[in-house]
mmCIF file of all heavy atoms in Angstrom:
data_model
loop_
_atom_site.group_PDB
_atom_site.id
_atom_site.type_symbol
_atom_site.label_atom_id
_atom_site.label_comp_id
_atom_site.label_asym_id
_atom_site.label_seq_id
_atom_site.Cartn_x
_atom_site.Cartn_y
_atom_site.Cartn_z
ATOM 1 N N GLU A 880 -199.086 61.599 -67.173
ATOM 2 C CA GLU A 880 -199.792 62.888 -67.118
ATOM 3 C C GLU A 880 -198.991 63.932 -66.371
ATOM 4 O O GLU A 880 -198.876 65.063 -66.800
ATOM 5 C CB GLU A 880 -201.142 62.684 -66.474
ATOM 6 C CG GLU A 880 -201.906 63.980 -66.268
ATOM 7 C CD GLU A 880 -203.217 63.744 -65.485
ATOM 8 O OE1 GLU A 880 -203.315 62.809 -64.694
ATOM 9 O OE2 GLU A 880 -204.116 64.550 -65.636
ATOM 10 N N LEU A 881 -198.407 63.550 -65.240
ATOM 11 C CA LEU A 881 -197.611 64.471 -64.427
ATOM 12 C C LEU A 881 -196.386 64.922 -65.235
ATOM 13 O O LEU A 881 -195.999 66.098 -65.190
ATOM 14 C CB LEU A 881 -197.183 63.826 -63.130
ATOM 15 C CG LEU A 881 -198.290 63.587 -62.134
ATOM 16 C CD1 LEU A 881 -197.799 62.733 -60.944
ATOM 17 C CD2 LEU A 881 -198.869 64.927 -61.622
ATOM 18 N N LEU A 882 -195.755 63.998 -65.961
ATOM 19 C CA LEU A 882 -194.549 64.364 -66.726
ATOM 20 C C LEU A 882 -194.956 65.305 -67.879
ATOM 21 O O LEU A 882 -194.289 66.330 -68.110
ATOM 22 C CB LEU A 882 -193.903 63.138 -67.328
ATOM 23 C CG LEU A 882 -193.121 62.223 -66.424
ATOM 24 C CD1 LEU A 882 -192.654 60.995 -67.156
ATOM 25 C CD2 LEU A 882 -191.948 62.950 -65.820
ATOM 26 N N LEU A 883 -196.035 65.029 -68.577
ATOM 27 C CA LEU A 883 -196.497 65.860 -69.661
ATOM 28 C C LEU A 883 -196.859 67.271 -69.169
ATOM 29 O O LEU A 883 -196.473 68.276 -69.745
ATOM 30 C CB LEU A 883 -197.689 65.238 -70.340
ATOM 31 C CG LEU A 883 -197.434 64.033 -71.224
ATOM 32 C CD1 LEU A 883 -198.774 63.301 -71.574
ATOM 33 C CD2 LEU A 883 -196.693 64.421 -72.480
ATOM 34 N N ALA A 884 -197.635 67.314 -68.048
ATOM 35 C CA ALA A 884 -198.140 68.574 -67.537
ATOM 36 C C ALA A 884 -197.000 69.455 -67.028
ATOM 37 O O ALA A 884 -197.070 70.671 -67.115
ATOM 38 C CB ALA A 884 -199.142 68.321 -66.433
ATOM 39 N N ALA A 885 -195.920 68.837 -66.546
ATOM 40 C CA ALA A 885 -194.791 69.624 -66.020
ATOM 41 C C ALA A 885 -194.100 70.374 -67.144
ATOM 42 O O ALA A 885 -193.660 71.547 -66.952
ATOM 43 C CB ALA A 885 -193.801 68.718 -65.304
ATOM 44 N N GLY A 886 -193.975 69.742 -68.299
ATOM 45 C CA GLY A 886 -193.311 70.401 -69.421
ATOM 46 C C GLY A 886 -191.831 70.621 -69.182
ATOM 47 O O GLY A 886 -191.156 71.378 -69.905
ATOM 48 N N GLU A 887 -191.251 69.964 -68.174
ATOM 49 C CA GLU A 887 -189.829 70.068 -67.829
ATOM 50 C C GLU A 887 -189.440 68.836 -67.081
ATOM 51 O O GLU A 887 -190.298 68.088 -66.627
ATOM 52 C CB GLU A 887 -189.577 71.325 -66.977
ATOM 53 C CG GLU A 887 -190.248 71.311 -65.661
ATOM 54 C CD GLU A 887 -190.105 72.579 -64.861
ATOM 55 O OE1 GLU A 887 -189.500 73.552 -65.411
ATOM 56 O OE2 GLU A 887 -190.527 72.629 -63.671
ATOM 57 N N PRO A 888 -188.149 68.593 -66.885
ATOM 58 C CA PRO A 888 -187.725 67.445 -66.113
ATOM 59 C C PRO A 888 -188.276 67.477 -64.696
ATOM 60 O O PRO A 888 -188.335 68.564 -64.080
ATOM 61 C CB PRO A 888 -186.232 67.531 -66.147
ATOM 62 C CG PRO A 888 -185.904 68.351 -67.348
ATOM 63 C CD PRO A 888 -186.999 69.336 -67.434
ATOM 64 N N VAL A 889 -188.652 66.321 -64.198
ATOM 65 C CA VAL A 889 -189.216 66.199 -62.848
ATOM 66 C C VAL A 889 -188.491 65.075 -62.120
ATOM 67 O O VAL A 889 -188.308 64.006 -62.650
ATOM 68 C CB VAL A 889 -190.736 65.895 -62.897
ATOM 69 C CG1 VAL A 889 -191.315 65.834 -61.491
ATOM 70 C CG2 VAL A 889 -191.464 66.899 -63.779
ATOM 71 N N LYS A 890 -188.106 65.315 -60.855
ATOM 72 C CA LYS A 890 -187.487 64.317 -60.087
ATOM 73 C C LYS A 890 -188.535 63.280 -59.623
ATOM 74 O O LYS A 890 -189.686 63.648 -59.424
ATOM 75 C CB LYS A 890 -186.770 64.938 -58.907
ATOM 76 C CG LYS A 890 -185.672 65.890 -59.345
ATOM 77 C CD LYS A 890 -184.677 66.142 -58.263
ATOM 78 C CE LYS A 890 -183.579 67.059 -58.742
ATOM 79 N NZ LYS A 890 -182.598 66.446 -59.564
ATOM 80 N N ALA A 891 -188.092 62.040 -59.468
ATOM 81 C CA ALA A 891 -189.040 60.987 -59.075
ATOM 82 C C ALA A 891 -189.770 61.286 -57.782
ATOM 83 O O ALA A 891 -190.925 61.044 -57.645
ATOM 84 C CB ALA A 891 -188.309 59.663 -58.956
ATOM 85 N N TYR A 892 -189.074 61.886 -56.828
ATOM 86 C CA TYR A 892 -189.733 62.142 -55.525
ATOM 87 C C TYR A 892 -190.752 63.223 -55.638
ATOM 88 O O TYR A 892 -191.728 63.252 -54.906
ATOM 89 C CB TYR A 892 -188.695 62.410 -54.421
ATOM 90 C CG TYR A 892 -188.153 61.103 -53.880
ATOM 91 C CD1 TYR A 892 -186.989 60.530 -54.362
ATOM 92 C CD2 TYR A 892 -188.924 60.401 -52.931
ATOM 93 C CE1 TYR A 892 -186.544 59.293 -53.906
ATOM 94 C CE2 TYR A 892 -188.475 59.139 -52.479
ATOM 95 C CZ TYR A 892 -187.313 58.624 -52.943
ATOM 96 O OH TYR A 892 -186.898 57.391 -52.496
ATOM 97 N N ASP A 893 -190.576 64.132 -56.609
ATOM 98 C CA ASP A 893 -191.620 65.148 -56.843
ATOM 99 C C ASP A 893 -192.852 64.483 -57.466
ATOM 100 O O ASP A 893 -193.987 64.844 -57.173
ATOM 101 C CB ASP A 893 -191.116 66.269 -57.780
ATOM 102 C CG ASP A 893 -190.068 67.124 -57.079
ATOM 103 O OD1 ASP A 893 -190.136 67.236 -55.843
ATOM 104 O OD2 ASP A 893 -189.160 67.643 -57.780
ATOM 105 N N LEU A 894 -192.627 63.495 -58.365
ATOM 106 C CA LEU A 894 -193.721 62.735 -58.918
ATOM 107 C C LEU A 894 -194.494 61.969 -57.847
ATOM 108 O O LEU A 894 -195.715 61.908 -57.791
ATOM 109 C CB LEU A 894 -193.239 61.786 -60.029
ATOM 110 C CG LEU A 894 -192.675 62.403 -61.259
ATOM 111 C CD1 LEU A 894 -192.013 61.396 -62.132
ATOM 112 C CD2 LEU A 894 -193.794 63.108 -62.040
ATOM 113 N N ILE A 895 -193.731 61.360 -56.928
ATOM 114 C CA ILE A 895 -194.315 60.594 -55.800
ATOM 115 C C ILE A 895 -195.212 61.559 -54.971
ATOM 116 O O ILE A 895 -196.321 61.220 -54.634
ATOM 117 C CB ILE A 895 -193.192 59.993 -54.924
ATOM 118 C CG1 ILE A 895 -192.533 58.857 -55.737
ATOM 119 C CG2 ILE A 895 -193.790 59.468 -53.631
ATOM 120 C CD1 ILE A 895 -191.239 58.356 -55.135
ATOM 121 N N ALA A 896 -194.695 62.748 -54.697
ATOM 122 C CA ALA A 896 -195.434 63.702 -53.887
ATOM 123 C C ALA A 896 -196.713 64.212 -54.587
ATOM 124 O O ALA A 896 -197.749 64.476 -53.938
ATOM 125 C CB ALA A 896 -194.557 64.885 -53.532
ATOM 126 N N ARG A 897 -196.648 64.375 -55.886
ATOM 127 C CA ARG A 897 -197.804 64.931 -56.680
ATOM 128 C C ARG A 897 -198.785 63.843 -57.125
ATOM 129 O O ARG A 897 -199.840 64.193 -57.640
ATOM 130 C CB ARG A 897 -197.264 65.623 -57.926
ATOM 131 C CG ARG A 897 -196.416 66.840 -57.676
ATOM 132 C CD ARG A 897 -195.892 67.407 -58.982
ATOM 133 N NE ARG A 897 -194.829 68.325 -58.755
ATOM 134 C CZ ARG A 897 -193.989 68.721 -59.675
ATOM 135 N NH1 ARG A 897 -194.077 68.224 -60.944
ATOM 136 N NH2 ARG A 897 -193.021 69.556 -59.402
ATOM 137 N N PHE A 898 -198.452 62.616 -56.946
ATOM 138 C CA PHE A 898 -199.217 61.504 -57.508
ATOM 139 C C PHE A 898 -200.685 61.502 -57.129
ATOM 140 O O PHE A 898 -201.556 61.393 -57.934
ATOM 141 C CB PHE A 898 -198.546 60.185 -57.185
ATOM 142 C CG PHE A 898 -199.125 58.970 -57.865
ATOM 143 C CD1 PHE A 898 -198.677 58.597 -59.116
ATOM 144 C CD2 PHE A 898 -200.154 58.252 -57.242
ATOM 145 C CE1 PHE A 898 -199.215 57.487 -59.779
ATOM 146 C CE2 PHE A 898 -200.666 57.136 -57.917
ATOM 147 C CZ PHE A 898 -200.203 56.769 -59.123
ATOM 148 N N GLY A 899 -200.961 61.543 -55.850
ATOM 149 C CA GLY A 899 -202.335 61.435 -55.392
ATOM 150 C C GLY A 899 -203.082 62.764 -55.586
ATOM 151 O O GLY A 899 -202.642 63.813 -55.286
ATOM 152 N N GLY A 900 -204.287 62.594 -56.098
ATOM 153 C CA GLY A 900 -205.119 63.794 -56.342
ATOM 154 C C GLY A 900 -205.606 64.430 -55.049
ATOM 155 O O GLY A 900 -205.926 65.593 -54.982
ATOM 156 N N ASP A 901 -205.611 63.643 -53.961
ATOM 157 C CA ASP A 901 -206.059 64.136 -52.666
ATOM 158 C C ASP A 901 -204.935 64.557 -51.771
ATOM 159 O O ASP A 901 -205.075 64.700 -50.573
ATOM 160 C CB ASP A 901 -206.928 63.105 -51.958
ATOM 161 C CG ASP A 901 -206.162 61.773 -51.770
ATOM 162 O OD1 ASP A 901 -205.000 61.680 -52.191
ATOM 163 O OD2 ASP A 901 -206.768 60.856 -51.248
ATOM 164 N N GLY A 902 -203.751 64.749 -52.373
ATOM 165 C CA GLY A 902 -202.588 65.183 -51.630
ATOM 166 C C GLY A 902 -201.792 64.047 -50.997
ATOM 167 O O GLY A 902 -200.762 64.270 -50.408
ATOM 168 N N GLN A 903 -202.265 62.798 -51.193
ATOM 169 C CA GLN A 903 -201.563 61.685 -50.633
ATOM 170 C C GLN A 903 -200.446 61.262 -51.624
ATOM 171 O O GLN A 903 -200.746 61.065 -52.808
ATOM 172 C CB GLN A 903 -202.534 60.491 -50.409
ATOM 173 C CG GLN A 903 -203.512 60.727 -49.316
ATOM 174 C CD GLN A 903 -202.814 60.836 -47.960
ATOM 175 O OE1 GLN A 903 -201.908 60.094 -47.633
ATOM 176 N NE2 GLN A 903 -203.228 61.839 -47.174
ATOM 177 N N PRO A 904 -199.260 61.111 -51.146
ATOM 178 C CA PRO A 904 -198.192 60.649 -52.062
ATOM 179 C C PRO A 904 -198.371 59.208 -52.444
ATOM 180 O O PRO A 904 -199.053 58.444 -51.714
ATOM 181 C CB PRO A 904 -196.891 60.859 -51.227
ATOM 182 C CG PRO A 904 -197.345 60.842 -49.833
ATOM 183 C CD PRO A 904 -198.774 61.340 -49.796
ATOM 184 N N ALA A 905 -197.782 58.802 -53.533
ATOM 185 C CA ALA A 905 -197.765 57.416 -53.964
ATOM 186 C C ALA A 905 -196.684 56.675 -53.225
ATOM 187 O O ALA A 905 -195.749 57.257 -52.685
ATOM 188 C CB ALA A 905 -197.531 57.334 -55.475
ATOM 189 N N LYS A 906 -196.750 55.356 -53.293
ATOM 190 C CA LYS A 906 -195.629 54.580 -52.759
ATOM 191 C C LYS A 906 -194.567 54.592 -53.837
ATOM 192 O O LYS A 906 -194.820 54.490 -55.017
ATOM 193 C CB LYS A 906 -196.095 53.153 -52.494
ATOM 194 C CG LYS A 906 -197.083 53.091 -51.351
ATOM 195 C CD LYS A 906 -197.440 51.712 -50.997
ATOM 196 C CE LYS A 906 -198.346 51.790 -49.765
ATOM 197 N NZ LYS A 906 -199.196 50.653 -49.544
ATOM 198 N N PRO A 907 -193.276 54.799 -53.421
ATOM 199 C CA PRO A 907 -192.203 54.902 -54.417
ATOM 200 C C PRO A 907 -192.177 53.817 -55.453
ATOM 201 O O PRO A 907 -192.006 54.116 -56.637
ATOM 202 C CB PRO A 907 -190.936 54.965 -53.518
ATOM 203 C CG PRO A 907 -191.412 55.575 -52.272
ATOM 204 C CD PRO A 907 -192.802 55.062 -52.024
ATOM 205 N N PRO A 908 -192.335 52.513 -55.085
ATOM 206 C CA PRO A 908 -192.292 51.495 -56.096
ATOM 207 C C PRO A 908 -193.310 51.699 -57.210
ATOM 208 O O PRO A 908 -193.060 51.385 -58.375
ATOM 209 C CB PRO A 908 -192.508 50.187 -55.345
ATOM 210 C CG PRO A 908 -192.116 50.481 -53.970
ATOM 211 C CD PRO A 908 -192.474 51.897 -53.750
ATOM 212 N N THR A 909 -194.436 52.246 -56.905
ATOM 213 C CA THR A 909 -195.517 52.449 -57.862
ATOM 214 C C THR A 909 -195.039 53.425 -58.937
ATOM 215 O O THR A 909 -195.188 53.160 -60.176
ATOM 216 C CB THR A 909 -196.780 53.059 -57.211
ATOM 217 O OG1 THR A 909 -197.246 52.123 -56.242
ATOM 218 C CG2 THR A 909 -197.858 53.328 -58.218
ATOM 219 N N VAL A 910 -194.440 54.496 -58.517
ATOM 220 C CA VAL A 910 -193.921 55.517 -59.454
ATOM 221 C C VAL A 910 -192.733 55.049 -60.234
ATOM 222 O O VAL A 910 -192.646 55.203 -61.448
ATOM 223 C CB VAL A 910 -193.654 56.853 -58.731
ATOM 224 C CG1 VAL A 910 -192.955 57.875 -59.648
ATOM 225 C CG2 VAL A 910 -194.936 57.457 -58.184
ATOM 226 N N TYR A 911 -191.790 54.394 -59.542
ATOM 227 C CA TYR A 911 -190.608 53.906 -60.229
ATOM 228 C C TYR A 911 -190.964 52.801 -61.278
ATOM 229 O O TYR A 911 -190.343 52.758 -62.367
ATOM 230 C CB TYR A 911 -189.554 53.366 -59.240
ATOM 231 C CG TYR A 911 -188.776 54.518 -58.616
ATOM 232 C CD1 TYR A 911 -188.970 54.879 -57.303
ATOM 233 C CD2 TYR A 911 -187.841 55.209 -59.384
ATOM 234 C CE1 TYR A 911 -188.243 55.910 -56.717
ATOM 235 C CE2 TYR A 911 -187.083 56.246 -58.809
ATOM 236 C CZ TYR A 911 -187.324 56.604 -57.497
ATOM 237 O OH TYR A 911 -186.611 57.615 -56.934
ATOM 238 N N ARG A 912 -191.886 51.945 -60.982
ATOM 239 C CA ARG A 912 -192.326 50.938 -61.969
ATOM 240 C C ARG A 912 -192.955 51.599 -63.175
ATOM 241 O O ARG A 912 -192.723 51.211 -64.296
ATOM 242 C CB ARG A 912 -193.271 49.932 -61.328
ATOM 243 C CG ARG A 912 -192.563 48.849 -60.553
ATOM 244 C CD ARG A 912 -193.517 47.695 -60.217
ATOM 245 N NE ARG A 912 -194.521 48.046 -59.269
ATOM 246 C CZ ARG A 912 -194.474 47.887 -57.925
ATOM 247 N NH1 ARG A 912 -193.412 47.307 -57.439
ATOM 248 N NH2 ARG A 912 -195.453 48.268 -57.154
ATOM 249 N N ALA A 913 -193.758 52.598 -62.908
ATOM 250 C CA ALA A 913 -194.380 53.366 -64.041
ATOM 251 C C ALA A 913 -193.354 54.040 -64.865
ATOM 252 O O ALA A 913 -193.417 54.036 -66.105
ATOM 253 C CB ALA A 913 -195.433 54.359 -63.506
ATOM 254 N N LEU A 914 -192.372 54.681 -64.262
ATOM 255 C CA LEU A 914 -191.321 55.368 -64.977
ATOM 256 C C LEU A 914 -190.512 54.364 -65.835
ATOM 257 O O LEU A 914 -190.208 54.619 -66.991
ATOM 258 C CB LEU A 914 -190.380 56.109 -64.020
ATOM 259 C CG LEU A 914 -190.936 57.363 -63.386
ATOM 260 C CD1 LEU A 914 -190.078 57.848 -62.265
ATOM 261 C CD2 LEU A 914 -191.113 58.461 -64.449
ATOM 262 N N GLU A 915 -190.200 53.210 -65.268
ATOM 263 C CA GLU A 915 -189.461 52.225 -66.019
ATOM 264 C C GLU A 915 -190.238 51.776 -67.230
ATOM 265 O O GLU A 915 -189.710 51.645 -68.328
ATOM 266 C CB GLU A 915 -189.166 51.013 -65.096
ATOM 267 C CG GLU A 915 -188.277 49.910 -65.725
ATOM 268 C CD GLU A 915 -189.052 48.917 -66.582
ATOM 269 O OE1 GLU A 915 -190.226 48.606 -66.227
ATOM 270 O OE2 GLU A 915 -188.544 48.468 -67.586
ATOM 271 N N PHE A 916 -191.534 51.563 -67.084
ATOM 272 C CA PHE A 916 -192.379 51.170 -68.197
ATOM 273 C C PHE A 916 -192.423 52.281 -69.266
ATOM 274 O O PHE A 916 -192.233 52.019 -70.461
ATOM 275 C CB PHE A 916 -193.789 50.902 -67.717
ATOM 276 C CG PHE A 916 -194.760 50.612 -68.834
ATOM 277 C CD1 PHE A 916 -194.873 49.338 -69.414
ATOM 278 C CD2 PHE A 916 -195.603 51.609 -69.340
ATOM 279 C CE1 PHE A 916 -195.763 49.087 -70.433
ATOM 280 C CE2 PHE A 916 -196.494 51.375 -70.356
ATOM 281 C CZ PHE A 916 -196.543 50.085 -70.920
ATOM 282 N N LEU A 917 -192.626 53.509 -68.848
ATOM 283 C CA LEU A 917 -192.675 54.648 -69.767
ATOM 284 C C LEU A 917 -191.380 54.817 -70.497
ATOM 285 O O LEU A 917 -191.369 55.123 -71.732
ATOM 286 C CB LEU A 917 -193.072 55.926 -69.063
ATOM 287 C CG LEU A 917 -194.497 55.948 -68.446
ATOM 288 C CD1 LEU A 917 -194.674 57.151 -67.539
ATOM 289 C CD2 LEU A 917 -195.540 55.879 -69.510
ATOM 290 N N GLU A 918 -190.263 54.654 -69.851
ATOM 291 C CA GLU A 918 -188.971 54.662 -70.497
ATOM 292 C C GLU A 918 -188.804 53.589 -71.525
ATOM 293 O O GLU A 918 -188.391 53.834 -72.664
ATOM 294 C CB GLU A 918 -187.819 54.523 -69.479
ATOM 295 C CG GLU A 918 -187.320 55.775 -68.841
ATOM 296 C CD GLU A 918 -186.098 55.462 -68.031
ATOM 297 O OE1 GLU A 918 -186.214 54.927 -66.926
ATOM 298 O OE2 GLU A 918 -184.991 55.796 -68.517
ATOM 299 N N ARG A 919 -189.173 52.358 -71.124
ATOM 300 C CA ARG A 919 -189.023 51.196 -72.022
ATOM 301 C C ARG A 919 -189.880 51.371 -73.288
ATOM 302 O O ARG A 919 -189.515 50.945 -74.351
ATOM 303 C CB ARG A 919 -189.413 49.932 -71.284
ATOM 304 C CG ARG A 919 -189.137 48.648 -71.982
ATOM 305 C CD ARG A 919 -189.258 47.417 -71.129
ATOM 306 N NE ARG A 919 -190.191 47.451 -70.024
ATOM 307 C CZ ARG A 919 -191.501 47.178 -70.082
ATOM 308 N NH1 ARG A 919 -192.021 46.826 -71.206
ATOM 309 N NH2 ARG A 919 -192.228 47.244 -68.989
ATOM 310 N N LYS A 920 -190.997 52.004 -73.143
ATOM 311 C CA LYS A 920 -191.960 52.203 -74.250
ATOM 312 C C LYS A 920 -191.701 53.495 -75.026
ATOM 313 O O LYS A 920 -192.390 53.877 -75.946
ATOM 314 C CB LYS A 920 -193.388 52.180 -73.740
ATOM 315 C CG LYS A 920 -193.822 50.792 -73.340
ATOM 316 C CD LYS A 920 -193.650 49.883 -74.499
ATOM 317 C CE LYS A 920 -194.029 48.460 -74.310
ATOM 318 N NZ LYS A 920 -193.861 47.716 -75.535
#
């Protein structure tokens, strides 16, 4: 959703920072695992 909504390339650390709806960042492994899956698919 974050990648789609951006409509442009996004750095992983920006995704980590934007991940939580309450302003809380995600743990980096969570985002990197999701990115790896999305790439593979």
Side-chain angles (χ1 to χ4, degrees):
E880 176 185 24
L881 291 170
L882 287 174
L883 288 166
E887 64 184 5
V889 183
K890 298 199 179 283
Y892 278 95
D893 291 330
L894 293 169
I895 291 166
R897 296 177 195 163
F898 187 88
D901 57 0
Q903 291 295 317
K906 293 185 174 158
T909 301
V910 172
Y911 280 107
R912 279 193 291 266
L914 287 168
E915 185 275 326
F916 175 83
L917 295 171
E918 271 189 284
R919 189 168 28 87
K920 290 302 182 178

